[in-house]
Amino acid sequence: MTTNPNPQSGSPDKEPASEAQAAQNALGNTERAETATLPGRPQPESEPKPSLGRMFLDNLWAANTFTVTLLSLVLAIVVGAVLMIISDPTVLSTYSYITSRPSDAINSSWTLVSEAYANLFKGSVFDPEAFSAWVNGTGGWQAVLAPISETLTYAAPLIFTGLSVALAFRGGLFNIGAQGQATIGVIMAALAGFLLPLPPGLHLLVAVLAGALGGAIWGFIPGILKARAGAHEVINTIMLNYVATYFLTWLIVQNGVQDPTRTDAISKAVDSSAQLPRLLGGDLRVHAGILLAVLATWAVAWLLNRSTLGFELRAVGANPDAARTAGISVTRTYILIMVFAGILAGLGGSNMVLGSTASALTPLVVAQIGFDGILVALLGRVKPWGVLLAALLFGALQAGGNRMQSYSGISLELVTVLQALIVIFIAAPALVKAIFQLRAARAARLQTSLAKGW
Amino acid sequence: MEPGEIHALLGENGAGKSTLMNVLYGLYQPDEGEILVDGKPLKLKGPSDAIGAGIGMVHQHFMLVPVFTVTENIMLGAEQVRGGIAGFLDRRRARREVAEVSERYNLRVDPDAVIEDLPVGIQQRVEIVKALTRDVDLLILDEPTAVLTPQETEELLTVMRSLKAAGKSIVFITHKLGEVKAIADRITVIRRGKTVGTASPEASRDELAALMVGRNVRLTVDKAPATPGEPVLEVAGLVVDDDRQIRAVDGIDLTVRAGEVLGVAGVQGNGQTELIEAIMGLRPVLAGTVSLAGDRIDGWKPKKVLRAGVGYVPEDRSVDGLVKEFSVAENLVLDIYDRPPFGSGLALKPDAIAASAKERIEQFDVRTSSADTAVGTLSGGNQQKVIVARELSRPLKLFIAAQPTRGVDVGSIEFIHSQIIRERDIGTAVLVVSSELDEVIGLADRIAVMYRGRIIGIVGPDTPREEIGLLMAGISPDAAHEATAATGEGPANADGSASEDEA
């Protein structure tokens, strides 16, 4: 690192001081570098000030967080394409005579991959055919909004679990237990949903809060074990995941919980009075959970950046010794962090049974939202608004994956592989940098948040 | 270095001894200068080069795998294999070699013992055997006695003598005068990264102490005579353990009055750290009392102590004083973020924090490009100013500054000193702990010298520094004459308390 006229950009991991900046940060360092050149900031170097456009271009191809995230996506898509080709026998067979007729291999590969990704896009964001059908009057507006609705439905619980992991991470704790916390959350929410005879409105509120409470309890246990006994939260949260999963499996088939009309493992359905209202009518699955998720994102961002509690949390996460010396109770903070993380994961769990995904408990009702939450948090660089964007991306991948499976015959599991690849690439910025020959960022401090906490 | 010589490297903590030896062992690269071995310059890219050149090192913190046996640890990095490409470990041969080496140099170790079961003294012996099996001619011992009991120290000295007899050269790093006089053939004293003198072991302790604490550099602090008022801090019969549950503070009585600076002098690791941590509520008080302006504060949480009007500059700013990832502004409110005007209820007031940061950056001359800069990017002096600014910008009854100018440039030292005196002059009781004797003499109105967890003397600031130096080495004024007359096995030899910070 030779000259750094812009020390502000030297700390990509530092939390911005304001909401506006936080949102901007989610877009990466590019913008920040620009804001830092605004007047009023002393420039230690006397070299001529580069224009904003110049700075933007410089930073775009520098190895900052934004560029690396974007290129990780590109790399994951490329690797995904290779996997599609390999796993399709017809396309693969064209490669046996590639030397004589290369056009066959190239054309069939291109058709396969482009159609698959087109379907991924149509299933998650926008389907032009549905749009033209609506314009011609042959289709309804619902079909136009369906992809977005699906994306938001999948994204909502991931936002909660992603925030759960991110919040704990900022406090120096690695919460692997979002899955277990979501499981207990889903149990409590469902029980409140079909056992309590309450009026509409109140019933929903109680069910949501019950889910939060369940998560809070499941977060409190590893929190207090860490604070009082020094037990490592990674081990304990993993173990509690098992306990939660098998407790759910056991609970479903108990009298009073299991659906009396069924013999398989499924509980009674949540009363309609406790279900999150659908936002765009009964045909589209998007429900009020996404609104709660955005609210939660805002709340977590406020908590982290604008509250005394968040200050303590960040201080403990960054340097527990200094926090303790400054009079902050590290043990109390650890417990609080895990309780808050649990609440968020529990809310994510509630979404799975109170929303449109399911209305009854089954052994797989929470799917993988807890574990996906870890990926979402890392992809979102453990910043609240970043988590929101990352969860939207993952939600879109899952929504689009469904269509990709039914239209292009590409297995839904490929989406999981894509998600994993994206995170692997952002976790290895040096690899991405090497592949794309990026210049070292001005900040020259490209580091991943993954290594911390261990 | 001559063959068969024991060369002692003497200096205070942070003087640069360990750094020098790490360069010699290839762990750090020199910025300038070169190392000569047998008259030839040596380029060391890493420890393996150093071992190849016949240099072995025993670190202050042992580099052993706790769950391996002695033999396995000694094999590590130089594994003997048999069976060609199959590469079976030849444990038997390694074991024989260990037994042979320990026999030859009279270093008794059980080759099959597991490291974690062994006492510290034996672990160290394993380290020495490990170095010797690599056929080294020069052995560096970095503060080897810091972790040893007096008996173990005595055994180590015996081992060193037998190694010397076998023609090995030893560099012996320490800050304990007694050991040096007992074993060294030649003594080099290092201070602030420079060689300040060479001495023979016949030199008196006074001379060595003076060389070590340095009489040339005297930082004077302009100040008027103190006007001490009521006692603010009263410590009585305080007993505190360190992290390893070893007694670190052993019955200390101390009074600091309003408007005076009490300086605590002493070689690092004699209980100063534990004393102030106990006062701050960061370390449990096992016996005795701590009172602040009449209130018992022992057993209080750190937050309550801080709230009661105590300002605290911890000795290790990067560990305990600052959150490096936080901005300057955030660090300036690290212990008052939840008090008005910076926080009310659950909400922080970023505007108030920013405004006050701006003011204090100005007032305390913190050189930073902005208040939002991460504090970790600032120089050591400016980081320290951030801490001092934070602690001095609220009304205090007591101000505790531990090593307030360690690793700080001269300009900042002057500024920090003047701020400490300013705080004294407005009637705050000030407790300064420093292993820099100059600093203590310059700042203090009274000087308490700590040695092995006790205060062995309280003297005025005009006391000759040689006398204070002797006190720091554990020689009380009455015993001074006797001890200097005695040959070498002085009380400093029995120095059991350890210093751990010289990493």
Side-chain angles (χ1 to χ4, degrees):
Chain A
M1 183 159 77
T2 47
T3 55
N4 183 3
N6 180 9
Q8 179 69 10
S9 66
S11 56
D13 281 9
K14 204 189 81 62
E15 189 60 16
S18 73
E19 285 303 303
Q21 255 180 310
Q24 200 173 42
N25 236 13
L27 298 171
N29 268 5
T30 324
E31 275 86 347
R32 284 179 79 203
E34 283 177 286
T35 52
T37 59
L38 291 175
R41 217 170 276 281
Q43 295 272 340
E45 300 293 315
S46 55
E47 63 185 47
K49 222 190 269 184
S51 71
L52 280 185
R54 182 72 237 164
M55 293 270 305
F56 179 81
L57 287 176
D58 278 356
N59 274 287
L60 193 65
W61 209 238
N64 58 33
T65 12
F66 175 73
T67 315
V68 168
T69 307
L70 201 71
L71 293 178
S72 299
L73 266 170
V74 173
L75 278 178
I77 286 170
V78 170
V79 177
V82 172
L83 290 176
M84 283 179 205
I85 293 165
I86 290 174
S87 59
D88 189 315
T90 10
V91 176
L92 199 60
S93 65
T94 61
Y95 279 81
S96 58
Y97 54 90
I98 189 163
T99 40
S100 51
R101 288 233 311 274
S103 59
D104 266 21
I106 291 166
N107 286 339
S108 60
S109 301
W110 172 251
T111 317
L112 174 76
V113 171
S114 61
E115 275 186 12
Y117 283 131
N119 279 318
L120 189 68
F121 182 79
K122 286 176 192 166
S124 58
V125 183
F126 178 71
D127 181 358
E129 289 143 41
F131 182 72
S132 51
W134 174 59
V135 172
N136 298 335
T138 53
W141 57 271
Q142 285 93 342
V144 182
L145 290 178
I148 292 286
S149 157
E150 285 300 293
T151 294
L152 294 180
T153 309
Y154 282 111
L158 294 182
I159 294 173
F160 283 112
T161 51
L163 287 173
S164 164
V165 177
L167 184 77
F169 218 106
R170 295 298 292 276
L173 298 178
F174 209 157
N175 180 22
I176 310 289
Q179 185 74 17
Q181 291 143 19
T183 306
I184 299 298
V186 86
I187 291 171
M188 297 280 282
L191 292 181
F194 60 71
L195 289 180
L196 302 177
L198 291 171
L202 181 66
H203 198 180
L204 174 62
L205 186 70
V206 168
V208 169
L209 290 180
L213 177 70
I217 294 168
W218 225 240
F220 173 76
I221 298 170
I224 192 147
L225 285 175
K226 166 96 179 177
R228 295 268 181 267
H232 203 293
E233 77 281 359
V234 168
I235 307 296
N236 287 321
T237 50
I238 291 174
M239 295 306 132
L240 285 172
N241 285 347
Y242 289 118
V243 177
T245 305
Y246 293 114
F247 177 64
L248 171 66
T249 317
W250 172 83
L251 186 75
I252 292 171
V253 293
Q254 300 309 303
N255 278 335
V257 177
Q258 190 176 17
D259 186 340
T261 65
R262 302 277 288 266
T263 54
D264 55 340
I266 187 163
S267 76
K268 294 176 192 165
V270 171
D271 298 346
S272 58
S273 56
Q275 286 184 357
L276 291 160
R278 300 204 174 192
L279 296 178
L280 298 172
D283 293 341
L284 294 176
R285 296 207 302 153
V286 64
H287 56 81
I290 187 71
L291 300 182
L292 285 180
V294 175
L295 200 67
T297 310
W298 176 84
V300 170
W302 184 86
L303 184 80
L304 275 175
N305 301 318
R306 301 294 286 268
S307 77
T308 54
L309 200 60
F311 189 90
E312 291 173 8
L313 190 153
R314 287 184 290 124
V316 168
N319 185 347
D321 291 320
R324 189 170 105 86
T325 306
I328 297 167
S329 167
V330 175
T331 52
R332 172 178 163 270
T333 309
Y334 278 152
I335 296 172
L336 277 177
I337 291 168
M338 286 310 293
V339 167
F340 275 111
I343 288 174
L344 287 164
L347 287 171
S350 322
N351 255 272
M352 299 304 282
V353 76
L354 303 179
S356 51
T357 318
S359 60
L361 293 176
T362 62
L364 296 176
V365 66
V366 275
Q368 295 285 309
I369 60 166
F371 297 123
D372 288 348
I374 298 171
L375 304 186
V376 165
L378 296 175
L379 181 59
R381 310 281 167 166
V382 295
K383 289 180 175 136
W385 296 104
V387 166
L388 182 90
L389 292 179
L392 286 174
L393 174 69
F394 271 41
L397 284 174
Q398 280 178 9
N402 286 334
R403 181 177 168 124
M404 191 167 74
Q405 181 167 29
S406 47
Y407 282 62
S408 298
I410 303 285
S411 159
L412 190 58
E413 276 72 34
L414 185 81
V415 163
T416 316
V417 174
L418 279 183
Q419 290 176 349
L421 285 171
I422 295 169
V423 173
I424 287 172
F425 285 124
I426 64 154
L431 178 67
V432 178
K433 234 169 78 182
I435 290 173
F436 288 94
Q437 295 290 308
L438 296 183
R439 287 184 294 99
R442 304 186 84 84
R445 208 180 70 114
L446 186 76
Q447 63 172 42
T448 166
S449 42
L450 284 167
K452 233 177 156 188
W454 281 91
Chain B
M1 284 294 305
E2 308 283 332
E5 182 193 45
I6 298 182
H7 191 141
L9 204 53
L10 192 64
E12 288 188 294
N13 283 78
K17 309 182 297 272
S18 291
T19 311
L20 174 64
M21 288 306 118
N22 281 330
V23 170
L24 201 49
Y25 192 54
L27 286 170
Y28 298 163
Q29 304 301 320
D31 294 330
E32 262 176 58
E34 57 183 3
I35 304 163
L36 299 177
V37 172
D38 296 333
K40 290 191 289 285
L42 185 65
K43 270 260 181 263
L44 298 170
K45 291 201 193 67
S48 52
D49 287 3
I51 293 168
I55 301 172
M57 182 163 180
V58 174
H59 296 266
Q60 193 174 355
H61 307 282
F62 304 146
M63 308 288 177
L64 296 170
V65 183
V67 295
F68 276 18
T69 65
V70 169
T71 307
E72 285 167 336
N73 264 290
I74 290 170
M75 291 165 77
L76 194 65
E79 296 88 349
Q80 305 272 8
V81 292
R82 65 189 156 83
I85 199 149
F88 294 108
L89 286 175
D90 194 347
R91 283 169 204 269
R92 201 176 305 162
R93 205 169 104 201
R95 193 176 177 282
R96 207 170 49 232
E97 214 169 275
V98 172
E100 207 178 276
V101 170
S102 51
E103 185 71 27
R104 189 171 348 134
Y105 299 102
N106 201 16
L107 285 159
R108 288 178 311 278
V109 286
D110 174 6
D112 302 318
V114 175
I115 292 295
E116 59 187 357
D117 301 336
L118 295 175
V120 179
I122 305 294
Q123 291 189 20
Q124 185 173 57
R125 202 174 283 177
V126 174
E127 282 275 23
I128 296 173
V129 173
K130 186 172 161 184
L132 291 174
T133 55
R134 310 275 200 275
D135 254 347
V136 298
D137 303 317
L138 171 65
L139 192 62
I140 304 168
L141 302 176
D142 189 1
E143 304 242 7
T145 56
V147 289
L148 300 184
T149 64
Q151 290 77 22
E152 287 174 328
T153 305
E154 201 45 54
E155 286 174 35
L156 176 70
L157 295 184
T158 313
V159 165
M160 285 167 67
R161 284 191 196 99
S162 68
L163 290 175
K164 178 184 159 187
K168 307 278 182 198
S169 314
I170 298 175
V171 175
F172 177 44
I173 303 178
T174 188
H175 56 235
K176 292 172 191 165
L177 299 175
E179 291 161 10
V180 169
K181 284 179 61 70
I183 192 96
D185 299 316
R186 210 142 52 96
I187 301 166
T188 299
V189 183
I190 291 190
R191 183 174 152 73
R192 287 172 183 261
K194 289 204 172 95
T195 305
V196 291
T198 318
S200 72
E202 285 78 40
S204 73
R205 277 161 180 263
D206 293 23
E207 285 168 347
L208 290 177
L211 265 178
M212 195 165 111
V213 294
R215 56 156 64 97
N216 314 335
V217 197
R218 172 152 188 171
L219 283 164
T220 51
V221 181
D222 292 333
K223 59 173 187 184
T227 49
E230 294 294 300
V232 174
L233 175 72
E234 287 169 290
V235 175
L238 189 70
V239 176
V240 184
D241 278 357
D242 67 10
D243 290 335
R244 299 169 300 163
Q245 316 301 323
I246 294 169
R247 192 61 29 103
V249 174
D250 194 8
I252 276 191
D253 303 301
L254 202 65
T255 303
V256 189
R257 296 173 176 277
E260 73 160 353
V261 177
L262 178 72
V264 175
V267 175
Q268 181 92 38
N270 277 294
Q272 302 96 315
T273 311
E274 288 78 10
L275 168 67
I276 45 178
E277 285 183 354
I279 295 172
M280 291 309 299
L282 291 162
R283 193 174 278 282
V285 172
L286 302 179
T289 60
V290 182
S291 311
L292 180 72
D295 299 327
R296 283 277 297 270
I297 61 165
D298 46 286
W300 284 17
K301 291 197 181 307
K303 182 161 253 171
K304 206 171 167 193
V305 177
L306 290 164
R307 291 280 177 274
V310 179
Y312 175 42
V313 176
E315 65 174 41
D316 191 335
R317 64 175 159 268
S318 57
V319 173
D320 297 320
L322 296 166
V323 179
K324 290 195 163 179
E325 292 85 348
F326 274 24
S327 68
V328 172
E330 285 175 313
N331 272 292
L332 280 169
V333 295
L334 197 63
D335 54 7
I336 38 172
Y337 60 93
D338 54 350
R339 304 304 296 281
F342 308 119
S344 69
L346 200 58
L348 282 181
K349 303 279 180 215
D351 297 339
I353 292 172
S356 124
K358 208 174 156 207
E359 209 171 286
R360 277 182 278 170
I361 286 171
E362 190 102 351
Q363 187 189 341
F364 286 85
D365 190 30
V366 181
R367 311 276 167 84
T368 172
S369 55
S370 92
D372 300 326
T373 308
V375 109
T377 63
L378 266 54
S379 74
N382 282 307
Q383 291 186 8
Q384 192 72 4
K385 282 190 212 163
V386 169
I387 301 178
V388 172
R390 173 176 79 213
E391 298 303 316
L392 290 185
S393 51
R394 58 198 154 97
L396 295 181
K397 292 194 186 100
L398 171 67
F399 179 56
I400 301 177
Q403 317 292 355
T405 58
R406 173 178 288 172
V408 165
D409 58 291
V410 179
S412 301
I413 290 176
E414 271 173 30
F415 183 79
I416 291 171
H417 282 171
S418 70
Q419 291 298 321
I420 291 173
I421 294 302
R422 200 182 65 97
E423 193 64 25
R424 178 202 75 166
D425 290 344
I426 59 173
T428 305
V430 180
L431 180 63
V432 172
V433 176
S434 177
S435 48
E436 286 283 349
L437 191 49
D438 296 308
E439 178 161 58
V440 176
I441 290 175
L443 285 172
D445 301 310
R446 289 188 299 142
I447 298 172
V449 182
M450 266 187 93
Y451 178 72
R452 297 186 64 200
R454 293 170 189 274
I455 287 177
I456 66 164
I458 296 188
V459 295
D462 40 9
T463 312
R465 56 189 310 114
E466 287 72 22
E467 197 176 308
I468 301 174
L470 283 177
L471 282 169
M472 285 167 68
I475 307 157
S476 60
D478 322 326
H481 297 291
E482 281 172 60
T484 39
T487 45
E489 314 290 329
N493 214 0
D495 197 346
S497 55
S499 58
E500 300 190 22
D501 62 325
E502 189 156 356

